[in-house]
Amino acid sequence: MFFAKSHLDLHNIRGSVERTVKLSDNIVGVGPIGIGLDGILAWFGGAGSLYSLGAGGVLLFDGVRARAAPMVLIQMTAVLLIDALLPLGPPGLGAVADTLFTGQKWAGGMLIRHMDDTIYFEGSRKEAQATAEYRDLLERIRSGKEKRRVVFLG
Protein backbone atom coordinates (compact mmCIF):
# COMPACT_ATOMS: atom_id res chain seq x y z
CA MET A 1 0.00 0.00 0.00
CA PHE A 2 1.63 3.21 -1.17
CA PHE A 3 -0.89 6.04 -0.68
CA ALA A 4 -2.87 6.43 2.51
CA LYS A 5 -6.31 4.84 2.12
CA SER A 6 -7.77 5.56 5.57
CA HIS A 7 -7.50 7.82 8.57
CA LEU A 8 -5.60 5.02 10.30
CA ASP A 9 -2.95 5.20 7.56
CA LEU A 10 -2.76 8.98 8.07
CA HIS A 11 -2.36 8.45 11.81
CA ASN A 12 0.51 6.03 11.15
CA ILE A 13 2.16 8.48 8.74
CA ARG A 14 1.95 11.21 11.39
CA GLY A 15 3.59 8.84 13.89
CA SER A 16 6.38 8.06 11.43
CA VAL A 17 7.02 11.78 10.87
CA GLU A 18 7.07 12.48 14.62
CA ARG A 19 9.51 9.59 15.27
CA THR A 20 11.83 10.69 12.47
CA VAL A 21 11.85 14.27 13.75
CA LYS A 22 12.50 13.20 17.34
CA LEU A 23 15.30 10.81 16.37
CA SER A 24 16.90 13.35 14.03
CA ASP A 25 16.68 16.58 15.97
CA ASN A 26 15.50 16.04 19.52
CA ILE A 27 16.76 12.88 21.25
CA VAL A 28 18.18 15.04 24.02
CA GLY A 29 16.36 18.31 24.53
CA VAL A 30 16.21 21.15 26.99
CA GLY A 31 13.18 23.32 26.35
CA PRO A 32 13.00 24.25 22.67
CA ILE A 33 16.64 23.29 22.04
CA GLY A 34 17.49 19.72 21.20
CA ILE A 35 20.08 17.55 19.51
CA GLY A 36 19.54 14.29 17.71
CA LEU A 37 21.36 11.85 15.46
CA ASP A 38 21.58 14.42 12.69
CA GLY A 39 23.56 16.84 14.85
CA ILE A 40 25.71 14.14 16.43
CA LEU A 41 26.61 12.41 13.15
CA ALA A 42 27.50 15.74 11.53
CA TRP A 43 30.79 15.55 13.46
CA PHE A 44 31.79 12.27 11.77
CA GLY A 45 32.67 13.07 8.16
CA GLY A 46 29.97 12.17 5.65
CA ALA A 47 27.90 10.23 8.19
CA GLY A 48 25.80 13.31 8.95
CA SER A 49 24.98 13.90 5.30
CA LEU A 50 24.11 10.25 4.74
CA TYR A 51 21.84 10.23 7.76
CA SER A 52 20.23 13.53 6.67
CA LEU A 53 19.54 12.16 3.21
CA GLY A 54 18.01 8.97 4.63
CA ALA A 55 15.84 10.73 7.21
CA GLY A 56 14.84 13.32 4.62
CA GLY A 57 13.87 10.54 2.24
CA VAL A 58 11.62 9.01 4.90
CA LEU A 59 9.91 12.38 5.48
CA LEU A 60 9.39 12.96 1.75
CA PHE A 61 8.06 9.42 1.30
CA ASP A 62 5.60 10.05 4.14
CA GLY A 63 4.59 13.32 2.47
CA VAL A 64 3.84 11.55 -0.80
CA ARG A 65 1.90 8.84 1.05
CA ALA A 66 -0.16 11.54 2.81
CA ARG A 67 -0.86 13.10 -0.62
CA ALA A 68 0.77 16.40 0.30
CA ALA A 69 0.54 19.20 -2.22
CA PRO A 70 3.49 19.39 -4.63
CA MET A 71 4.56 22.83 -3.35
CA VAL A 72 4.84 21.50 0.20
CA LEU A 73 6.99 18.60 -1.02
CA ILE A 74 9.22 21.04 -2.95
CA GLN A 75 9.65 23.24 0.14
CA MET A 76 10.43 20.20 2.28
CA THR A 77 12.99 19.02 -0.29
CA ALA A 78 14.75 22.40 -0.25
CA VAL A 79 15.03 22.41 3.55
CA LEU A 80 16.19 18.79 3.65
CA LEU A 81 18.85 19.35 0.95
CA ILE A 82 20.26 22.29 2.88
CA ASP A 83 20.35 20.12 5.98
CA ALA A 84 22.15 17.33 4.11
CA LEU A 85 24.74 19.68 2.59
CA LEU A 86 25.63 21.63 5.75
CA PRO A 87 28.03 19.01 7.19
CA LEU A 88 30.02 19.14 3.96
CA GLY A 89 31.00 22.74 4.69
CA PRO A 90 34.32 23.81 6.22
CA PRO A 91 35.54 21.32 8.85
CA GLY A 92 34.07 22.13 12.22
CA LEU A 93 31.94 25.01 10.94
CA GLY A 94 29.75 22.72 8.81
CA ALA A 95 29.18 20.39 11.77
CA VAL A 96 28.24 23.29 14.05
CA ALA A 97 25.84 24.66 11.43
CA ASP A 98 24.23 21.24 10.96
CA THR A 99 23.90 20.71 14.70
CA LEU A 100 22.06 24.04 15.03
CA PHE A 101 19.96 23.69 11.84
CA THR A 102 17.10 21.32 12.57
CA GLY A 103 16.03 20.62 9.00
CA GLN A 104 14.10 17.42 9.67
CA LYS A 105 12.19 19.15 12.46
CA TRP A 106 11.36 22.03 10.13
CA ALA A 107 10.31 19.81 7.21
CA GLY A 108 8.36 17.42 9.46
CA GLY A 109 6.53 20.38 11.00
CA MET A 110 5.62 21.61 7.52
CA LEU A 111 4.14 18.23 6.66
CA ILE A 112 2.20 17.88 9.93
CA ARG A 113 0.73 21.40 9.56
CA HIS A 114 -0.19 20.64 5.96
CA MET A 115 -1.91 17.41 7.00
CA ASP A 116 -3.79 19.32 9.72
CA ASP A 117 -4.95 21.83 7.09
CA THR A 118 -6.26 19.08 4.83
CA ILE A 119 -9.68 17.47 5.08
CA TYR A 120 -9.40 13.79 4.20
CA PHE A 121 -12.43 11.79 3.07
CA GLU A 122 -12.19 8.02 3.08
CA GLY A 123 -13.42 6.57 -0.18
CA SER A 124 -13.85 8.12 -3.60
CA ARG A 125 -15.10 11.56 -4.57
CA LYS A 126 -18.36 9.97 -5.75
CA GLU A 127 -18.90 8.31 -2.37
CA ALA A 128 -18.15 11.56 -0.53
CA GLN A 129 -20.53 13.56 -2.74
CA ALA A 130 -23.39 11.44 -1.41
CA THR A 131 -22.78 12.62 2.18
CA ALA A 132 -24.21 15.69 3.88
CA GLU A 133 -20.81 16.35 5.45
CA TYR A 134 -19.21 16.81 2.02
CA ARG A 135 -22.04 19.01 0.74
CA ASP A 136 -21.74 21.23 3.83
CA LEU A 137 -17.98 21.45 3.38
CA LEU A 138 -18.33 22.31 -0.30
CA GLU A 139 -20.73 25.12 0.59
CA ARG A 140 -18.30 26.50 3.19
CA ILE A 141 -15.47 26.40 0.60
CA ARG A 142 -17.58 28.17 -2.04
CA SER A 143 -18.66 30.86 0.44
CA GLY A 144 -15.04 31.46 1.50
CA LYS A 145 -15.55 30.29 5.09
CA GLU A 146 -13.31 27.24 4.63
CA LYS A 147 -9.86 27.42 3.08
CA ARG A 148 -8.54 23.91 3.66
CA ARG A 149 -7.93 21.52 0.80
CA VAL A 150 -9.89 18.32 0.33
CA VAL A 151 -8.30 14.94 -0.44
CA PHE A 152 -10.16 11.73 -1.24
CA LEU A 153 -8.42 8.61 0.02
CA GLY A 154 -10.29 6.13 -2.17
mmCIF file with all atom_site columns, all heavy atoms in Angstrom, residues 29-47:
data_model
loop_
_atom_site.group_PDB
_atom_site.id
_atom_site.type_symbol
_atom_site.label_atom_id
_atom_site.label_alt_id
_atom_site.label_comp_id
_atom_site.label_asym_id
_atom_site.label_entity_id
_atom_site.label_seq_id
_atom_site.pdbx_PDB_ins_code
_atom_site.Cartn_x
_atom_site.Cartn_y
_atom_site.Cartn_z
_atom_site.occupancy
_atom_site.B_iso_or_equiv
_atom_site.pdbx_formal_charge
_atom_site.auth_seq_id
_atom_site.auth_comp_id
_atom_site.auth_asym_id
_atom_site.auth_atom_id
_atom_site.pdbx_PDB_model_num
ATOM 1   N N   . GLY A 1 29 ? 16.832 16.940 24.662 1.00 0.00 ? 29 GLY A N   1
ATOM 2   C CA  . GLY A 1 29 ? 16.363 18.305 24.526 1.00 0.00 ? 29 GLY A CA  1
ATOM 3   C C   . GLY A 1 29 ? 16.203 18.991 25.858 1.00 0.00 ? 29 GLY A C   1
ATOM 4   O O   . GLY A 1 29 ? 15.883 18.371 26.860 1.00 0.00 ? 29 GLY A O   1
ATOM 5   N N   . VAL A 1 30 ? 16.452 20.294 25.839 1.00 0.00 ? 30 VAL A N   1
ATOM 6   C CA  . VAL A 1 30 ? 16.213 21.146 26.991 1.00 0.00 ? 30 VAL A CA  1
ATOM 7   C C   . VAL A 1 30 ? 15.368 22.298 26.486 1.00 0.00 ? 30 VAL A C   1
ATOM 8   O O   . VAL A 1 30 ? 15.843 23.138 25.717 1.00 0.00 ? 30 VAL A O   1
ATOM 9   C CB  . VAL A 1 30 ? 17.524 21.665 27.620 1.00 0.00 ? 30 VAL A CB  1
ATOM 10  C CG1 . VAL A 1 30 ? 17.231 22.597 28.774 1.00 0.00 ? 30 VAL A CG1 1
ATOM 11  C CG2 . VAL A 1 30 ? 18.407 20.499 28.049 1.00 0.00 ? 30 VAL A CG2 1
ATOM 12  N N   . GLY A 1 31 ? 14.091 22.300 26.861 1.00 0.00 ? 31 GLY A N   1
ATOM 13  C CA  . GLY A 1 31 ? 13.180 23.320 26.347 1.00 0.00 ? 31 GLY A CA  1
ATOM 14  C C   . GLY A 1 31 ? 13.054 23.182 24.840 1.00 0.00 ? 31 GLY A C   1
ATOM 15  O O   . GLY A 1 31 ? 12.918 22.082 24.311 1.00 0.00 ? 31 GLY A O   1
ATOM 16  N N   . PRO A 1 32 ? 13.150 24.306 24.128 1.00 0.00 ? 32 PRO A N   1
ATOM 17  C CA  . PRO A 1 32 ? 12.996 24.253 22.672 1.00 0.00 ? 32 PRO A CA  1
ATOM 18  C C   . PRO A 1 32 ? 14.265 23.809 21.938 1.00 0.00 ? 32 PRO A C   1
ATOM 19  O O   . PRO A 1 32 ? 14.252 23.607 20.734 1.00 0.00 ? 32 PRO A O   1
ATOM 20  C CB  . PRO A 1 32 ? 12.644 25.694 22.307 1.00 0.00 ? 32 PRO A CB  1
ATOM 21  C CG  . PRO A 1 32 ? 13.305 26.510 23.359 1.00 0.00 ? 32 PRO A CG  1
ATOM 22  C CD  . PRO A 1 32 ? 13.242 25.674 24.617 1.00 0.00 ? 32 PRO A CD  1
ATOM 23  N N   . ILE A 1 33 ? 15.362 23.647 22.664 1.00 0.00 ? 33 ILE A N   1
ATOM 24  C CA  . ILE A 1 33 ? 16.641 23.294 22.038 1.00 0.00 ? 33 ILE A CA  1
ATOM 25  C C   . ILE A 1 33 ? 16.890 21.799 22.224 1.00 0.00 ? 33 ILE A C   1
ATOM 26  O O   . ILE A 1 33 ? 16.769 21.266 23.322 1.00 0.00 ? 33 ILE A O   1
ATOM 27  C CB  . ILE A 1 33 ? 17.797 24.101 22.659 1.00 0.00 ? 33 ILE A CB  1
ATOM 28  C CG1 . ILE A 1 33 ? 17.558 25.594 22.425 1.00 0.00 ? 33 ILE A CG1 1
ATOM 29  C CG2 . ILE A 1 33 ? 19.129 23.671 22.078 1.00 0.00 ? 33 ILE A CG2 1
ATOM 30  C CD1 . ILE A 1 33 ? 18.504 26.491 23.165 1.00 0.00 ? 33 ILE A CD1 1
ATOM 31  N N   . GLY A 1 34 ? 17.228 21.143 21.124 1.00 0.00 ? 34 GLY A N   1
ATOM 32  C CA  . GLY A 1 34 ? 17.490 19.719 21.202 1.00 0.00 ? 34 GLY A CA  1
ATOM 33  C C   . GLY A 1 34 ? 18.559 19.303 20.220 1.00 0.00 ? 34 GLY A C   1
ATOM 34  O O   . GLY A 1 34 ? 18.914 20.039 19.309 1.00 0.00 ? 34 GLY A O   1
ATOM 35  N N   . ILE A 1 35 ? 19.082 18.117 20.421 1.00 0.00 ? 35 ILE A N   1
ATOM 36  C CA  . ILE A 1 35 ? 20.076 17.554 19.510 1.00 0.00 ? 35 ILE A CA  1
ATOM 37  C C   . ILE A 1 35 ? 19.701 16.085 19.278 1.00 0.00 ? 35 ILE A C   1
ATOM 38  O O   . ILE A 1 35 ? 19.235 15.405 20.186 1.00 0.00 ? 35 ILE A O   1
ATOM 39  C CB  . ILE A 1 35 ? 21.512 17.687 20.052 1.00 0.00 ? 35 ILE A CB  1
ATOM 40  C CG1 . ILE A 1 35 ? 22.513 17.250 18.998 1.00 0.00 ? 35 ILE A CG1 1
ATOM 41  C CG2 . ILE A 1 35 ? 21.690 16.928 21.335 1.00 0.00 ? 35 ILE A CG2 1
ATOM 42  C CD1 . ILE A 1 35 ? 23.949 17.625 19.331 1.00 0.00 ? 35 ILE A CD1 1
ATOM 43  N N   . GLY A 1 36 ? 19.872 15.672 18.059 1.00 0.00 ? 36 GLY A N   1
ATOM 44  C CA  . GLY A 1 36 ? 19.542 14.292 17.713 1.00 0.00 ? 36 GLY A CA  1
ATOM 45  C C   . GLY A 1 36 ? 20.655 13.678 16.895 1.00 0.00 ? 36 GLY A C   1
ATOM 46  O O   . GLY A 1 36 ? 21.772 14.202 16.817 1.00 0.00 ? 36 GLY A O   1
ATOM 47  N N   . LEU A 1 37 ? 20.353 12.554 16.261 1.00 0.00 ? 37 LEU A N   1
ATOM 48  C CA  . LEU A 1 37 ? 21.361 11.851 15.464 1.00 0.00 ? 37 LEU A CA  1
ATOM 49  C C   . LEU A 1 37 ? 21.932 12.725 14.354 1.00 0.00 ? 37 LEU A C   1
ATOM 50  O O   . LEU A 1 37 ? 23.113 12.631 14.039 1.00 0.00 ? 37 LEU A O   1
ATOM 51  C CB  . LEU A 1 37 ? 20.764 10.581 14.860 1.00 0.00 ? 37 LEU A CB  1
ATOM 52  C CG  . LEU A 1 37 ? 20.629 9.393  15.789 1.00 0.00 ? 37 LEU A CG  1
ATOM 53  C CD1 . LEU A 1 37 ? 19.995 8.223  15.060 1.00 0.00 ? 37 LEU A CD1 1
ATOM 54  C CD2 . LEU A 1 37 ? 21.969 8.989  16.359 1.00 0.00 ? 37 LEU A CD2 1
ATOM 55  N N   . ASP A 1 38 ? 21.107 13.561 13.768 1.00 0.00 ? 38 ASP A N   1
ATOM 56  C CA  . ASP A 1 38 ? 21.583 14.420 12.689 1.00 0.00 ? 38 ASP A CA  1
ATOM 57  C C   . ASP A 1 38 ? 22.719 15.325 13.164 1.00 0.00 ? 38 ASP A C   1
ATOM 58  O O   . ASP A 1 38 ? 23.750 15.436 12.510 1.00 0.00 ? 38 ASP A O   1
ATOM 59  C CB  . ASP A 1 38 ? 20.428 15.253 12.129 1.00 0.00 ? 38 ASP A CB  1
ATOM 60  C CG  . ASP A 1 38 ? 20.815 16.057 10.914 1.00 0.00 ? 38 ASP A CG  1
ATOM 61  O OD1 . ASP A 1 38 ? 21.541 15.519 10.058 1.00 0.00 ? 38 ASP A OD1 1
ATOM 62  O OD2 . ASP A 1 38 ? 20.386 17.213 10.806 1.00 0.00 ? 38 ASP A OD2 1
ATOM 63  N N   . GLY A 1 39 ? 22.534 15.952 14.315 1.00 0.00 ? 39 GLY A N   1
ATOM 64  C CA  . GLY A 1 39 ? 23.562 16.843 14.849 1.00 0.00 ? 39 GLY A CA  1
ATOM 65  C C   . GLY A 1 39 ? 24.787 16.102 15.344 1.00 0.00 ? 39 GLY A C   1
ATOM 66  O O   . GLY A 1 39 ? 25.920 16.560 15.189 1.00 0.00 ? 39 GLY A O   1
ATOM 67  N N   . ILE A 1 40 ? 24.587 14.928 15.911 1.00 0.00 ? 40 ILE A N   1
ATOM 68  C CA  . ILE A 1 40 ? 25.712 14.141 16.433 1.00 0.00 ? 40 ILE A CA  1
ATOM 69  C C   . ILE A 1 40 ? 26.557 13.586 15.282 1.00 0.00 ? 40 ILE A C   1
ATOM 70  O O   . ILE A 1 40 ? 27.783 13.686 15.281 1.00 0.00 ? 40 ILE A O   1
ATOM 71  C CB  . ILE A 1 40 ? 25.202 12.995 17.337 1.00 0.00 ? 40 ILE A CB  1
ATOM 72  C CG1 . ILE A 1 40 ? 24.551 13.577 18.604 1.00 0.00 ? 40 ILE A CG1 1
ATOM 73  C CG2 . ILE A 1 40 ? 26.331 12.041 17.694 1.00 0.00 ? 40 ILE A CG2 1
ATOM 74  C CD1 . ILE A 1 40 ? 23.761 12.571 19.412 1.00 0.00 ? 40 ILE A CD1 1
ATOM 75  N N   . LEU A 1 41 ? 25.878 13.015 14.268 1.00 0.00 ? 41 LEU A N   1
ATOM 76  C CA  . LEU A 1 41 ? 26.608 12.405 13.147 1.00 0.00 ? 41 LEU A CA  1
ATOM 77  C C   . LEU A 1 41 ? 27.279 13.430 12.242 1.00 0.00 ? 41 LEU A C   1
ATOM 78  O O   . LEU A 1 41 ? 28.179 13.085 11.477 1.00 0.00 ? 41 LEU A O   1
ATOM 79  C CB  . LEU A 1 41 ? 25.670 11.505 12.333 1.00 0.00 ? 41 LEU A CB  1
ATOM 80  C CG  . LEU A 1 41 ? 25.180 10.252 13.057 1.00 0.00 ? 41 LEU A CG  1
ATOM 81  C CD1 . LEU A 1 41 ? 24.158 9.516  12.211 1.00 0.00 ? 41 LEU A CD1 1
ATOM 82  C CD2 . LEU A 1 41 ? 26.345 9.350  13.420 1.00 0.00 ? 41 LEU A CD2 1
ATOM 83  N N   . ALA A 1 42 ? 26.872 14.686 12.331 1.00 0.00 ? 42 ALA A N   1
ATOM 84  C CA  . ALA A 1 42 ? 27.499 15.738 11.525 1.00 0.00 ? 42 ALA A CA  1
ATOM 85  C C   . ALA A 1 42 ? 28.990 15.866 11.844 1.00 0.00 ? 42 ALA A C   1
ATOM 86  O O   . ALA A 1 42 ? 29.767 16.330 11.013 1.00 0.00 ? 42 ALA A O   1
ATOM 87  C CB  . ALA A 1 42 ? 26.795 17.071 11.768 1.00 0.00 ? 42 ALA A CB  1
ATOM 88  N N   . TRP A 1 43 ? 29.399 15.440 13.026 1.00 0.00 ? 43 TRP A N   1
ATOM 89  C CA  . TRP A 1 43 ? 30.787 15.552 13.456 1.00 0.00 ? 43 TRP A CA  1
ATOM 90  C C   . TRP A 1 43 ? 31.656 14.396 12.956 1.00 0.00 ? 43 TRP A C   1
ATOM 91  O O   . TRP A 1 43 ? 32.857 14.366 13.218 1.00 0.00 ? 43 TRP A O   1
ATOM 92  C CB  . TRP A 1 43 ? 30.858 15.628 14.988 1.00 0.00 ? 43 TRP A CB  1
ATOM 93  C CG  . TRP A 1 43 ? 30.201 16.870 15.496 1.00 0.00 ? 43 TRP A CG  1
ATOM 94  C CD1 . TRP A 1 43 ? 28.905 17.022 15.858 1.00 0.00 ? 43 TRP A CD1 1
ATOM 95  C CD2 . TRP A 1 43 ? 30.806 18.153 15.626 1.00 0.00 ? 43 TRP A CD2 1
ATOM 96  N NE1 . TRP A 1 43 ? 28.659 18.319 16.226 1.00 0.00 ? 43 TRP A NE1 1
ATOM 97  C CE2 . TRP A 1 43 ? 29.819 19.035 16.099 1.00 0.00 ? 43 TRP A CE2 1
ATOM 98  C CE3 . TRP A 1 43 ? 32.090 18.658 15.405 1.00 0.00 ? 43 TRP A CE3 1
ATOM 99  C CZ2 . TRP A 1 43 ? 30.062 20.388 16.339 1.00 0.00 ? 43 TRP A CZ2 1
ATOM 100 C CZ3 . TRP A 1 43 ? 32.335 19.995 15.658 1.00 0.00 ? 43 TRP A CZ3 1
ATOM 101 C CH2 . TRP A 1 43 ? 31.336 20.844 16.117 1.00 0.00 ? 43 TRP A CH2 1
ATOM 102 N N   . PHE A 1 44 ? 31.060 13.451 12.242 1.00 0.00 ? 44 PHE A N   1
ATOM 103 C CA  . PHE A 1 44 ? 31.789 12.272 11.766 1.00 0.00 ? 44 PHE A CA  1
ATOM 104 C C   . PHE A 1 44 ? 31.795 12.195 10.238 1.00 0.00 ? 44 PHE A C   1
ATOM 105 O O   . PHE A 1 44 ? 31.153 11.321 9.639  1.00 0.00 ? 44 PHE A O   1
ATOM 106 C CB  . PHE A 1 44 ? 31.189 10.993 12.362 1.00 0.00 ? 44 PHE A CB  1
ATOM 107 C CG  . PHE A 1 44 ? 31.236 10.955 13.860 1.00 0.00 ? 44 PHE A CG  1
ATOM 108 C CD1 . PHE A 1 44 ? 30.128 11.304 14.621 1.00 0.00 ? 44 PHE A CD1 1
ATOM 109 C CD2 . PHE A 1 44 ? 32.407 10.590 14.508 1.00 0.00 ? 44 PHE A CD2 1
ATOM 110 C CE1 . PHE A 1 44 ? 30.182 11.283 16.000 1.00 0.00 ? 44 PHE A CE1 1
ATOM 111 C CE2 . PHE A 1 44 ? 32.468 10.560 15.887 1.00 0.00 ? 44 PHE A CE2 1
ATOM 112 C CZ  . PHE A 1 44 ? 31.353 10.916 16.634 1.00 0.00 ? 44 PHE A CZ  1
ATOM 113 N N   . GLY A 1 45 ? 32.498 13.094 9.613  1.00 0.00 ? 45 GLY A N   1
ATOM 114 C CA  . GLY A 1 45 ? 32.666 13.070 8.164  1.00 0.00 ? 45 GLY A CA  1
ATOM 115 C C   . GLY A 1 45 ? 31.348 13.102 7.415  1.00 0.00 ? 45 GLY A C   1
ATOM 116 O O   . GLY A 1 45 ? 30.488 13.912 7.690  1.00 0.00 ? 45 GLY A O   1
ATOM 117 N N   . GLY A 1 46 ? 31.178 12.202 6.476  1.00 0.00 ? 46 GLY A N   1
ATOM 118 C CA  . GLY A 1 46 ? 29.973 12.165 5.654  1.00 0.00 ? 46 GLY A CA  1
ATOM 119 C C   . GLY A 1 46 ? 28.799 11.473 6.301  1.00 0.00 ? 46 GLY A C   1
ATOM 120 O O   . GLY A 1 46 ? 27.719 11.392 5.707  1.00 0.00 ? 46 GLY A O   1
ATOM 121 N N   . ALA A 1 47 ? 28.980 10.964 7.511  1.00 0.00 ? 47 ALA A N   1
ATOM 122 C CA  . ALA A 1 47 ? 27.898 10.235 8.185  1.00 0.00 ? 47 ALA A CA  1
ATOM 123 C C   . ALA A 1 47 ? 26.680 11.122 8.401  1.00 0.00 ? 47 ALA A C   1
ATOM 124 O O   . ALA A 1 47 ? 25.539 10.678 8.250  1.00 0.00 ? 47 ALA A O   1
ATOM 125 C CB  . ALA A 1 47 ? 28.377 9.670  9.516  1.00 0.00 ? 47 ALA A CB  1
#
